[in-house]
Each structure stands twice: as structure tokens, then as C-alpha cells.
Amino acid sequence: ACGETKPAASAARTAPAAGRLTIQAQTVADLKPVPGTLTTRDMAEARARISGVLVSLAVKEGDIVRQGQMIARIQDDRLALQTSAFDAQVNAAAAEAARAQADLARIRKLFSQGVYAQARLDQVEAQAKAANANLAAARAQRGASAELGAQGAILAPAAGRVLVADVPVGSVVMPGQSIARLTAGPMVVRIELPEGQARALKVGDIVQLAAEDLRGLASQGEITQVYPSITAGQVTADVTAPNLPQDLIGQRVRAQIKIGERQALVVPRTYVVTRFGVDYARLVQADGSLSETPIQTSAGPTPQTVEVLSGLRAGDVLTPAGAGK
């Protein structure tokens, strides 16, 4: 037993020459996460133009409407009575105008026979003109009253989806009261950014969108509008993207915008191994030996890469995860 020979300690692992990667700093976009809201370019309000009672509401939340479609009706019984009164005034003015025209025709005939003087003819002509003017005024008043009654029909101001229609039938409404709110214009993701970083927003810049928030229909968009006003220290911009969902207006969407550029260490994911929640990179030493070093990473500029935040420096040589002998 005393003469037992112990095996020699295993030699340090050496890294293969194939697949080695020398880390170099590269310029990447400095992305800032910002909140976004899925909405439309504009919002349209269908408002009451007259006071009265809401007698019908033909839409509900979620309905699609076209521009000019009647969505509700307001009725004011006083307007119908007022229009009837103006109808009577029109009839009276028409009868007076007919009598004046008959008098004028008779006086002209007698004037030609020398029965009446020129002054009498001028007087009758003036009376006929006044009667015709009164008839025109009565018809205009009647038309204005009828048009006011027709304004009880509430039409959709734009084509879109009804978001809010919460006024129950039978309610008394006032002029200017909102009956329904509709979407208007194309779908956008509206983002907000602190005013100190507003100069980084430019029309045409690419914005990364969280695809899982949009059911995988869109992953990036383009800034199409930067609003010039600042509200509560925030600058607002609109991001357009194809295939944005249209059924959840107001949904929160995570977005990342470019506010500058910086130097970063970016490596492919194949050079990083994760064990028990800790990321490791296989570092090739100067003598060719292989060692594992813990690193801190974050998402890289592409899905196939990661950014090394700590644990490595420029000039280090890595070998792919799992390599070595």
C-alpha cells in the first residue's frame, strides 16, 4: 500500500485554434425604453348640435362605421311646432303676395285707360314688392327651422371604430355634448420622451417595438410625426408600422428608440453559456489554456448577439461554448 503510485493531476484544458474570437469594441445604437400606446392618428367626436331628447342610438362600442353614417337622433318637439308656425306664416305671406299681384295687374290696366294717376300705380307696385319680400322672408325662416330640426341627426364625422357610446336612449342632451367617440386615421403607436432627449427624435428613425405586445404582428416601426408642443415635460411622437392590431385601442406597447451611439462589446450567443442563471464565457489565456469567467450580459443589437456589460474587455479571445478538451 505504501508503494501505491497516484495518478498525475490532469493537465489544464487547452482551447482549440478553430472558432476563436477576439473581442473588439464596436459602435452600437444607444436605445432607450419608452412607453407607447396603441391608438389612431386622430380621434373624432360625434357631438349633439341641438338640445333635446336622444331618441335612438344605432351603434355600440366596437362597431365599425363609415363617414356620414347616422349613428343617433335627437328630437325636440318645439322645433316641429315652430316649423308648423312658419308654414302658416308662409301660407299667409303667399296669399298676401297673390292679392298684391292681382291688385297690381288691375291698377296697371286702369292706369293704361287713364283712370288712375302714376302715383297710385307706384304705390301698388311698392306694395306688391313688399308682399313678395315678406313671402321670401317667411320661406327662409321656415327653411331655417326645418334645417335646425334636421340637425337632430348625428352623423359619424369619420370612418372608424366606435370607442365610447355611453349615453343611454332617453337622455336629455345639450348642444356640444359628446354622444360617441370614434377612431380616425391610420393606426399608430404614440410614444412619449422626456424633453431633455427630444432632439434625438427625428422623422424616419426606426423604433423597436415589443412584438409580444402586438401579438407578433409588428416588431419595428418608423417615426412619422414629432409633435412640437411639450406637455408635462414630455415630447410626443407617432410611430407607424404595418399590420398593427386594430381591436385594442389604448393598449400599452413597449418601445425602444435610438437616442445616440456608444461603444460596446458585442459577441455571438454561441460564445456564452448559462448555468444556474449565471452567464459564462470561455476565455483563452495567453498560454492557450482555457478558463471560464462569469460575465454580465444584456440583449444585443440582433437576436443572435449579446452585449457584454462586465467580465471581459477589448482584446480578450474567446472560444465557442462547449469547445475545449
Side-chain angles (χ1 to χ4, degrees):
C2 295
E4 181 181 358
T5 303
K6 295 184 179 181
S10 60
R13 292 183 299 173
T14 58
R20 294 186 179 185
L21 172 68
T22 302
I23 300 178
Q24 298 293 338
Q26 57 182 281
T27 302
V28 298
D30 190 6
L31 300 179
K32 176 181 177 63
V34 295
T37 304
L38 184 64
T39 182
T40 54
R41 179 66 175 78
D42 299 301
M43 292 290 177
E45 295 281 350
R47 298 182 180 272
R49 293 182 291 176
I50 63 173
S51 60
V53 177
L54 185 66
V55 295
S56 67
L57 183 62
V59 296
K60 63 181 183 298
E61 287 84 351
D63 288 349
I64 301 296
V65 298
R66 64 182 185 276
Q67 186 176 12
Q69 177 181 340
M70 190 179 73
I71 61 177
R73 178 175 291 278
I74 299 172
Q75 182 175 330
D76 188 352
D77 294 336
R78 297 176 304 170
L79 296 178
L81 297 175
Q82 187 180 38
T83 303
S84 299
F86 284 129
D87 281 335
Q89 292 182 8
V90 168
N91 294 333
E96 182 64 25
R99 185 192 62 81
Q101 290 295 331
D103 289 345
L104 179 59
R106 184 169 57 254
I107 295 301
R108 280 178 176 172
K109 182 177 180 180
L110 295 176
F111 173 77
S112 63
Q113 297 174 359
V115 175
Y116 287 112
Q118 181 67 41
R120 177 59 178 165
L121 177 61
D122 295 341
Q123 180 183 7
V124 175
E125 287 180 347
Q127 291 175 353
K129 290 180 180 179
N132 290 332
N134 290 335
L135 176 60
R139 286 174 175 171
Q141 289 180 337
R142 194 269 177 197
S145 178
E147 176 61 26
L148 187 60
Q151 289 183 359
I154 301 178
L155 307 180
R161 184 185 298 270
V162 178
L163 298 180
V164 179
D166 55 358
V167 181
V169 174
S171 300
V172 176
V173 298
M174 301 301 293
Q177 181 176 344
S178 177
I179 304 301
R181 190 198 309 176
L182 298 82
T183 61
M187 297 294 299
V188 298
V189 175
R190 187 157 292 163
I191 61 174
E192 293 183 348
L193 190 69
E195 58 182 315
Q197 300 171 341
R199 297 187 183 276
L201 294 177
K202 296 180 180 178
V203 175
D205 285 351
I206 300 299
V207 177
Q208 302 297 327
L209 303 174
E212 56 271 21
D213 294 342
L214 300 173
R215 295 179 295 184
L217 299 178
S219 60
Q220 70 176 18
E222 179 181 345
I223 296 179
T224 56
Q225 173 71 41
V226 179
Y227 294 91
S229 62
I230 298 177
T231 304
Q234 300 288 320
V235 177
T236 305
D238 286 345
V239 178
T240 61
N243 302 323
L244 288 176
Q246 302 183 9
D247 55 347
L248 292 177
I249 304 299
Q251 178 184 354
R252 305 296 288 180
V253 179
R254 292 168 294 171
Q256 289 185 329
I257 65 170
K258 179 181 176 181
I259 61 174
E261 294 180 342
R262 58 185 175 84
Q263 297 294 313
L265 302 179
V266 179
V267 299
R269 288 187 178 272
T270 55
Y271 286 79
V272 179
V273 62
T274 302
R275 290 196 299 270
F276 304 105
V278 180
D279 293 333
Y280 294 89
R282 299 199 168 188
L283 183 63
V284 180
Q285 304 294 338
D287 57 357
S289 61
L290 183 63
S291 65
E292 287 189 347
T293 179
I295 60 175
Q296 184 179 4
T297 63
S298 67
T302 64
Q304 294 77 27
T305 60
V306 295
E307 179 183 350
V308 179
L309 303 179
S310 64
L312 298 175
R313 62 177 181 270
D316 286 346
V317 178
L318 303 181
T319 189
K325 61 180 179 178

